Amino acid sequence: MEHLVEHMRTSFHSVHEPMCGICGKHCRSFESLREHLIGPLPKAECERIFKDRGCDLCLTILSSRSALRGHRDNCQLPRANPGLAKRMENGGARVVALACKMVGGGSDGSLDLCARVCLTDEYQNIIFQSYVKPLMPVTNYRYETTGIRPDLLRDAMPLKQVQRKIQDFLCNGEPMWKIRPQGGRARILVGHGLDHDLQSLELEDTAKYPPLMKTSKLSNSLKHLTKAYLGYDIQTGIQDPYEDCVATMRLYMRMKSQSHRMENYPLATDPQNQQNFASWRQYELERMGPDEMLKISRSDYYCWCLDG
């Protein structure tokens, strides 16, 4: 029993975790669920049913092959077209996506410097887009992938001004010290590798969503996630940060729209749950049966479907 208690103290299975629609197995990421369904060592019965009527993008099991065909048409999204994007300079978006494109600095051109930035809303409208003038000399424009030339940065917006503009928009009139994870006026920021993008803008933040990470708990590339979960290719040839914004926002909205059973206090960090597995309750926990312990266990990660 003490081993079961220890397992539950560290695993925190949740209704928000990716789950096999056939056998009900909980997985910590969609990649581990994909491996469970289609290999390299899948569960035989689950593999058979999934190959017949499972969607290889969202990993949902449909009721029939005809239902799968209709679902697949909606699940696979088209590539974003920057030429059709609308500009909404003062939009009232609650959720925004950020993407940057980097040029190289330093003696060997390996130091990433933000040279282009894009901010979009949930509806793929452009809120802010600008070339950025780095604080240090550019030694490699990486033209093959960025399409950026020296003349595009000569009169570009200074980095500090871009930083203030984005920060003001994200805070939405709320002081930095009052911003909290839930509630308030500050906007939700989504992106891929936000720690890298924000560091290049001299802001500090990071976002890694466990269900979209590898089974080794390392991040997948945005290119891989877009192909695997949205069904189209990005970052081919000269790359546009708008395309990255759209891909990250689509991934966010797809994960956010998942239908999960709601719980009154879904997170282990909620005050109502903080004492569930406290060390001083060890004797009491050891006397509980598995069903009793499952009843008080809670998840240790935040699901995007809980965003307001």
Side-chain angles (χ1 to χ4, degrees), residues 36 42-49:
H36 168 77
K43 185 174 180 181
E45 179 65 10
C46 295
E47 180 186 30
R48 182 186 66 79
I49 295 174

Side-chain angles (χ1 to χ4, degrees), residues 36-164:
H36 168 77
L37 292 168
I38 57 178
L41 295 172
K43 185 174 180 181
E45 179 65 10
C46 295
E47 180 186 30
R48 182 186 66 79
I49 295 174
F50 184 80
K51 283 183 175 179
D52 183 58
R53 47 189 173 88
C55 175
D56 62 338
L57 295 177
C58 66
L59 306 182
T60 299
I61 309 298
L62 283 301
S63 58
S64 65
R65 290 184 181 181
S66 60
L68 173 62
R69 286 192 292 270
H71 168 86
R72 195 63 165 70
D73 290 341
N74 294 323
C75 201
Q76 182 165 1
L77 301 177
R79 187 168 182 171
N81 187 342
L84 300 179
K86 297 179 180 179
R87 292 183 177 271
M88 304 285 288
E89 293 292 337
N90 296 306
R94 170 61 178 151
V95 183
V96 296
L98 171 72
C100 301
K101 289 302 171 185
M102 312 293 179
V103 292
S107 59
D108 60 354
S110 63
L111 181 63
D112 286 337
L113 306 174
C114 179
R116 194 177 178 191
V117 64
C118 184
L119 204 64
T120 66
D121 65 11
E122 306 101 306
Y123 308 105
Q124 303 176 26
N125 300 314
I126 295 174
I127 298 167
F128 173 66
Q129 183 172 239
S130 177
Y131 288 102
V132 182
K133 191 170 187 177
L135 294 176
M136 61 186 297
V138 178
T139 55
N140 183 356
Y141 285 88
R142 304 174 184 173
Y143 179 78
E144 295 78 10
T145 57
T146 66
I148 295 174
R149 305 182 306 271
D151 59 292
L152 294 175
L153 301 186
R154 191 171 296 125
D155 299 316
M157 188 178 292
L159 177 65
K160 293 293 185 183
Q161 186 177 344
V162 172
Q163 175 191 351
R164 286 194 299 272

Side-chain angles (χ1 to χ4, degrees), residues 140-201:
N140 183 356
Y141 285 88
R142 304 174 184 173
Y143 179 78
E144 295 78 10
T145 57
T146 66
I148 295 174
R149 305 182 306 271
D151 59 292
L152 294 175
L153 301 186
R154 191 171 296 125
D155 299 316
M157 188 178 292
L159 177 65
K160 293 293 185 183
Q161 186 177 344
V162 172
Q163 175 191 351
R164 286 194 299 272
K165 194 173 183 71
I166 292 178
Q167 183 173 300
D168 289 346
F169 185 81
L170 294 178
C171 292
N172 196 23
E174 193 164 46
M176 290 285 288
W177 60 271
K178 287 185 65 177
I179 292 175
R180 50 196 183 278
Q182 299 181 35
R185 296 194 302 272
R187 294 178 167 94
I188 297 172
L189 176 65
V190 301
H192 188 81
L194 276 177
D195 51 342
H196 184 245
D197 285 350
L198 294 179
Q199 184 179 17
S200 71
L201 286 167

Side-chain angles (χ1 to χ4, degrees), residues 249-276:
M249 183 62 77
R250 284 173 169 177
L251 284 167
Y252 171 79
M253 298 303 288
R254 178 155 288 182
M255 296 297 110
K256 184 178 184 296
S257 65
Q258 295 175 101
S259 179
H260 293 146
R261 177 167 53 85
M262 291 293 101
E263 298 174 305
N264 290 332
Y265 310 115
L267 298 178
T269 52
D270 285 359
Q272 294 86 349
N273 302 322
Q274 287 179 350
Q275 300 301 324
N276 279 358

Side-chain angles (χ1 to χ4, degrees), residues 15-32:
V15 297
H16 297 280
E17 290 175 331
M19 187 175 71
C20 177
I22 303 164
C23 69
K25 174 182 171 64
H26 284 264
C27 299
R28 295 294 282 179
S29 70
F30 283 101
E31 183 168 296
S32 60

